[in-house]
Amino acid sequence: MTASGGERHVPVLLEEAVAALAPQAGGVYLDATFGAGGYTRALLAHEDTRVLALDRDPTAIRNGYALVEEAGGRLTLVEARFSELAQVAERAGLAPLDGIVADIGVSSMQFDEAARGFSFRNDGPLDMRMEGRGPSAADIIAEAEEEALADILYHYGEERASRRIARAIVKAREAGRIETTRALAQIIERAAPGKPGDIHPATKSFQALRIAVNDELGELVAALGAAERALKPGGRLAVVTFHSLEDRIVKQFLGERSGRGETRSRRLPGEPIPPPPTFISEGRQPVTPSDREIAANPRARSAKLRFATRTDAPARAIDESLARLARLPERAKGRR
């Protein structure tokens, strides 16, 4: 997620994330979320580095062509999801990698462009698709059953009024398809009005729909596994997240992979020996923005950076406990 206004090209926690990668001359690095190119520029500023940058948003790719020219052959820009980073690096002949950075959030460019439908602050089509393909937010609102809508709002948006909002949406769509961000925001505001000083009542619901439309949590889980496969021993991973759902996934992944909480001696008879750690996670984490950065860019206030160094242990399959964090729970009697 980039800063707003005149500093749109500067990502949140830029200095801290690049410091975590510790770029070396001649190193090969991957920017998994190119956006406006802020991390990529910072990596290219180090002598003789090469950068492979990905973005699933075709607009970001088009806007990045000038930087490709400017980099003089040191930047490869590819339209792809960050879950595909290992395959893309292999195809580009750049694997294994010395470092990977990922900014898991919607960029200011996407938020500020009303036609993309990510924000309720400017009226626009209820879209939210990063790639412009597949079902839109309007499609989900029109087609999902009430209980499924409530699940999306509750689990992806942590919206306590999820059932009330879902019920209001289903009732409102009886009069016709809900097509605009303003129309949906007004329905939510009437169903669950906020208190003075609180965030806008539609904030969590819009986050939830965006995550559902783009399968953002599933992509994050897959990207972490791909990073483990693509990094060389000693390679570094830095991930910036913007809400608790994302941070929980990154924290659990790095915790499991670094063997946090495991005891390798004095095990019970028959207790299996855990696999060797694939990452080493050091230092005080998460790293959060300074008061100065938050004052300059209020969107940074919820950002968290976690980072780790790859070991030489073989990559492992994603644990089911982690994959479960990215999915809506299966419906069961008595749930919630």
Side-chain angles (χ1 to χ4, degrees), residues 42 110 205 214 250 256 305 319:
Q110 292 167 327
S205 295
N214 297 291
V250 178
E256 291 174 346
L305 165 67
D319 300 300

Side-chain angles (χ1 to χ4, degrees), residues 8 57 59 106-129 137 179-183 206 299:
R8 293 174 68 177
D57 186 341
T59 301
V106 177
S107 74
S108 295
M109 296 180 298
Q110 292 167 327
F111 265 125
D112 294 341
E113 189 178 342
R116 304 297 296 274
F118 286 100
S119 174
F120 48 80
R121 301 196 183 281
N122 298 304
D123 195 26
L126 190 57
D127 194 319
M128 302 191 190
R129 296 172 296 178
E179 295 277 13
T180 68
T181 56
R182 180 172 296 164
F206 270 64
R299 289 174 175 171

Side-chain angles (χ1 to χ4, degrees), residues 83-249:
S83 61
E84 303 169 323
L85 68 86
Q87 302 98 297
V88 174
E90 284 285 348
R91 288 198 299 267
L94 297 175
L97 300 162
D98 293 287
I100 296 171
V101 63
D103 175 340
I104 313 300
V106 177
S107 74
S108 295
M109 296 180 298
Q110 292 167 327
F111 265 125
D112 294 341
E113 189 178 342
R116 304 297 296 274
F118 286 100
S119 174
F120 48 80
R121 301 196 183 281
N122 298 304
D123 195 26
L126 190 57
D127 194 319
M128 302 191 190
R129 296 172 296 178
M130 291 183 180
E131 295 151 308
R133 300 191 298 269
S136 67
D139 294 329
I140 291 176
I141 289 295
E143 298 165 10
E145 296 179 0
E146 182 179 322
E147 186 173 359
L149 271 177
D151 283 347
I152 289 170
L153 303 183
Y154 183 80
H155 292 284
Y156 291 159
E158 300 177 304
E159 173 56 73
R160 291 181 177 272
S162 59
R163 291 190 180 280
R164 201 184 328 151
I165 293 170
R167 191 159 49 245
I169 290 171
V170 170
K171 183 173 179 58
R173 74 189 185 189
E174 292 174 358
R177 187 176 167 95
I178 302 166
E179 295 277 13
T180 68
T181 56
R182 180 172 296 164
L184 178 59
Q186 289 173 344
I187 292 166
I188 295 169
E189 196 167 9
R190 288 194 297 269
K195 299 177 182 178
D198 285 353
I199 60 173
H200 191 283
T203 301
K204 293 181 177 181
S205 295
F206 270 64
Q207 171 189 296
L209 286 168
R210 191 198 77 223
I211 289 172
V213 166
N214 297 291
D215 186 26
E216 292 180 28
L217 301 185
E219 282 288 305
L220 174 56
V221 169
L224 292 170
E228 184 178 68
R229 298 192 301 274
L231 284 167
K232 64 175 59 172
R236 299 190 176 200
L237 172 66
V239 184
V240 177
T241 60
F242 287 88
H243 58 70
S244 61
L245 299 173
E246 298 166 343
D247 182 60
R248 189 181 310 151
I249 287 171

Side-chain angles (χ1 to χ4, degrees), residues 81 155 194 263:
R81 297 186 175 201
H155 292 284
T263 302

